[in-house]
Amino acid sequence: MKIGFLGAGNVTRTFGRHLINAGHTVVVSNSRGPETLADFVADLGPGAVAGTKEQAAECDVVILAVHWVKVREALKGADWRGQILIDATNAHVDPKPDISLAGVTRSRAALKGRTSSEMVAEMAVGARLVKSISNMPMAWIQDFSPNKPRSVLFTSGDDANAKQLVIELINSTGLVAIDLGSLAIGGAMHEVGAPLSGIDLHFVRRLR
């Protein structure tokens, strides 16, 4: 599967490598153009290419991986109708995310009772939006070996088929996706500052 990334930061560097190790291809884009990404994609290795935002947005699945303050600009100009878009952002209102209690409290207050992914869905009109790959720091899943922990990435969305595809994509990497339901209900459980945010859980077995 070909996966496009909007943004070239820690999420792309980490989850992109998990995807490549699982046999997927990634297209990395940023706001400055593909010519600035040569070293980044070389570090990711074979299976990664630099592209424009438009090229990334045309992939089988697109992962939004920019700071919250850059989300609107990153989504602008693309036709998202029918596209599976994974929201891997966390709604930090400061240009440099403030993960202190005060910073997280301020960021959550700015959402005014809504989930951040519902707001992203309104910016990416027509996208089949799935919230995932955002409930833990990427430093926690930088073991790329075959025997890495089966870390849990929570997933929520309103399009059942899109969500199932994202779950299968995450599971293909050796990590484990857990479905928490809709954007409104599930998203509220694993976005920044929520009860299931910032918790390192490892999947052991399923009882049924």
Side-chain angles (χ1 to χ4, degrees):
M1 191 176 294
K2 183 178 284 188
I3 315 299
F5 281 89
L6 301 181
N10 287 335
V11 171
T12 304
R13 181 177 290 107
T14 303
F15 193 68
R17 182 162 294 172
H18 283 295
L19 289 170
I20 290 169
N21 289 348
H24 303 287
T25 300
V26 303
V27 178
V28 182
S29 70
N30 65 8
S31 60
R32 295 175 294 151
E35 64 278 0
T36 67
L37 292 167
D39 290 342
F40 189 96
V41 296
D43 185 57
L44 278 177
V49 298
T52 63
K53 180 174 77 172
E54 291 75 19
Q55 289 169 328
E58 291 172 353
C59 291
D60 301 315
V61 175
V62 183
I63 299 178
L64 177 64
V66 299
H67 287 321
W68 178 253
V69 294
K70 297 181 179 179
V71 165
R72 188 176 297 278
E73 182 63 28
L75 294 173
K76 189 169 63 176
D79 183 0
W80 296 108
R81 289 174 296 180
Q83 177 61 277
I84 296 176
L85 177 64
I86 300 176
D87 175 19
T89 68
N90 279 303
H92 295 285
V93 297
D94 302 302
K96 183 178 180 179
D98 182 354
I99 61 172
S100 69
L101 177 59
V104 170
T105 300
R106 185 170 64 253
S107 293
R108 287 187 62 80
L111 297 176
K112 298 180 179 179
R114 304 177 67 204
T115 67
S116 59
S117 287
E118 289 177 296
M119 298 171 71
V120 173
E122 291 181 357
M123 299 180 209
V125 178
R128 302 165 68 192
L129 192 76
V130 178
K131 170 75 169 174
S132 195
I133 322 172
S134 60
N135 60 278
M136 66 172 66
M138 290 293 101
W140 293 0
I141 56 169
Q142 288 183 352
D143 181 347
F144 303 104
S145 71
N147 298 318
K148 63 178 176 282
R150 301 186 70 196
S151 297
V152 171
L153 296 176
F154 296 113
T155 307
S156 57
D158 298 333
D159 184 309
N161 291 332
K163 185 165 53 175
Q164 183 59 38
L165 187 147
V166 170
I167 288 171
E168 292 171 1
L169 178 67
I170 292 171
N171 290 347
S172 76
T173 69
L175 304 171
V176 178
I178 300 294
D179 183 2
L180 294 182
S182 67
L183 289 179
I185 296 174
M189 296 173 66
H190 64 108
E191 66 181 8
V192 65
L196 294 178
S197 174
I199 299 178
D200 190 8
L201 299 177
H202 296 167
F203 182 85
V204 177
R205 63 181 177 271
R206 193 182 301 274
L207 295 180
R208 58 179 178 85

